[in-house]
């Protein structure tokens, strides 16, 4: 059986030493391939368009176009690319802005190196990986019911249009299941699970699984029927 293709990763940070440290560690993993580096948000967008990585590891605080805006632009134009946000400070506003931008994972820069590799693998599998401190912010966000999204049509307006199967899939997403786990739980193929997730995001006007999980909890759809 042929080995799976490595996960293609773009590293984005305005400090060269940080990028070098991330590259040196991640290159020790045979299932991860560093395909490029970017020093700011504008460069990240350009590199993402050119390289089409599977995952972007994105510093949030950078001069010019910051990581939040870069995440939003990449996710809007290339929704198949997952973004893992890196931050030095746990600021609630910045974390929630990154969620709205479409980030699917969050790590603090002082996290253990192995945790970054785990977050990359989780994102590639369609899972959400959150630093415990950031998970606390997300949990409070869900309980507060504040996740109403950006101006214009409110995310969630398409909930009523979801089919029964899509609601089951959304419940699984809210529980943090990967596409493979969703397929096993619902007796469908992994490809079908992935298609359902994409359709759900389109119908409810969201761009990431993290946002969908928050929405499911707010609407009481976080448990299968």
């Amino acid at each position: 059986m042929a080995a799976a293709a490595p996960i293609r990763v773009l590293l984005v940070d305005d400090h060269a030493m940080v990028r070098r440290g991330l590259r040196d560690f991640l290159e020790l993993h045979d299932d991860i391939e560093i395909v490029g580096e970017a020093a700011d948000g504008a460069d990240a967008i350009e590199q993402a368009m050119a390289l089409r990585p599977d995952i972007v590891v994105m510093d949030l605080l950078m001069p010019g176009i910051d990581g939040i805006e870069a995440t939003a632009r990449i996710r809007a134009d290339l929704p198949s690319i997952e973004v893992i946000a890196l931050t030095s400070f746990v600021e609630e506003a910045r974390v929630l802005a990154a969620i709205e931008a479409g980030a699917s994972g969050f790590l603090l820069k002082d996290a253990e190196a192995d945790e970054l590799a785990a977050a990359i693998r989780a994102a590639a599998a369609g899972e959400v990986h959150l630093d415990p401190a950031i998970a606390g912010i997300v949990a409070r966000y869900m309980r507060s019911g504040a996740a109403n999204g950006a101006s214009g049509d409110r995310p969630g307006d398409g909930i009523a249009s979801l089919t029964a199967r899509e609601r089951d899939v959304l419940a699984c997403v809210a529980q943090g299941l990967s596409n493979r786990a969703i397929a096993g739980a619902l007796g469908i193929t992994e490809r079908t699970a992935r298609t359902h997730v994409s359709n759900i995001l389109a119908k409810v006007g969201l761009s990431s699984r993290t946002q969908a999980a928050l929405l499911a909890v707010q609407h009481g759809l976080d448990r299968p029927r």
Side-chain angles (χ1 to χ4, degrees):
M1 183 176 179
I7 304 166
R8 303 175 71 254
V9 176
L10 171 65
L11 301 175
V12 184
D13 195 289
D14 58 331
H15 293 97
M17 289 295 291
V18 172
R19 297 197 308 273
R20 177 60 183 269
L22 294 174
R23 175 183 282 273
D24 286 350
F25 169 72
L26 292 174
E27 284 183 338
L28 297 175
H29 298 263
D30 292 339
D31 61 334
I32 296 173
E33 177 186 2
I34 306 304
V35 297
E37 298 180 15
D40 56 43
D43 192 18
I45 295 166
E46 183 177 342
Q47 294 273 15
M49 292 291 186
L51 299 171
R52 306 297 175 100
D54 301 309
I55 309 292
V56 176
V57 176
M58 179 80 74
D59 182 20
L60 292 184
L61 187 59
M62 296 183 290
I65 296 177
D66 67 8
I68 293 172
E69 183 177 351
T71 296
R73 293 195 193 180
I74 290 170
R75 293 286 298 161
D77 293 336
L78 299 167
S80 65
I81 296 177
E82 301 290 350
V83 178
I84 297 172
L86 289 182
T87 181
S88 299
F89 308 101
V90 183
E91 298 178 13
E92 182 170 340
R94 190 171 295 277
V95 169
L96 300 183
I99 288 176
E100 292 186 356
S104 60
F106 297 84
L107 286 178
L108 294 175
K109 285 191 174 181
D110 62 0
E112 294 294 329
D114 285 340
E115 192 171 357
L116 176 58
I120 288 171
R121 295 184 183 111
E127 300 171 0
V128 175
H129 187 100
L130 302 176
D131 181 276
I134 292 171
I137 291 176
V138 174
R140 289 194 298 273
Y141 184 55
M142 288 191 293
R143 288 195 299 268
S144 72
N148 290 324
S151 61
D153 292 338
R154 286 179 16 183
D157 286 348
I159 282 285
S161 69
L162 297 181
T163 66
R165 175 58 84 189
E166 287 169 346
R167 286 171 177 256
D168 287 341
V169 171
L170 180 57
C172 291
V173 169
Q175 295 174 57
L177 301 186
S178 67
N179 291 334
R180 178 175 296 180
I182 292 171
L186 300 181
I188 57 180
T189 67
E190 186 174 351
R191 181 175 181 179
T192 298
R194 187 181 303 113
T195 299
H196 280 315
V197 172
S198 296
N199 290 341
I200 290 165
L201 294 178
K203 285 184 177 182
V204 299
L206 298 174
S207 62
S208 78
R209 297 172 80 99
T210 309
Q211 295 169 331
L214 296 177
L215 187 69
V217 172
Q218 290 162 4
H219 285 264
L221 301 176
D222 53 326
R223 291 291 181 268
R225 296 173 298 124

